Amino acid sequence: DMLDPGVFLRVHRSVIVNSRWIRRVKALEKAGEFTLVMADGRLVDTGRTYRHVVEGLIRALGDRPG
């Protein structure tokens, strides 16, 4: 079975996250890199290659009621 691409996102070549667990997205000083703050407090650094994924996530989070 495959992971649901609407829920799970690859944000680094070695990291896939469940988007439902992301609480905040923090931009880093390095262009195109971010840190994701997860529901359990863990911090996940993203890679520049996956910038478009994180930017799409930011847009989606902005559209969520809350």
Side-chain angles (χ1 to χ4, degrees), residues 8-17 50-54:
F8 293 91
L9 305 172
R10 180 175 298 277
V11 296
H12 191 277
R13 67 180 183 169
S14 62
V15 179
I16 296 174
V17 297
Y50 299 93
R51 174 183 185 170
H52 67 284
V53 173
V54 179

Side-chain angles (χ1 to χ4, degrees), residues 32-47:
E33 294 185 20
F34 301 88
T35 295
L36 307 178
V37 180
M38 307 304 288
D40 63 359
R42 291 183 199 200
L43 302 177
V44 176
D45 291 331
T46 67

Side-chain angles (χ1 to χ4, degrees), residues 17-44:
V17 297
N18 182 332
S19 63
R20 296 175 183 161
W21 280 69
I22 299 170
R23 295 297 172 253
R24 286 185 56 212
V25 179
K26 298 180 355 182
L28 299 178
E29 290 187 22
K30 287 179 157 182
E33 294 185 20
F34 301 88
T35 295
L36 307 178
V37 180
M38 307 304 288
D40 63 359
R42 291 183 199 200
L43 302 177
V44 176

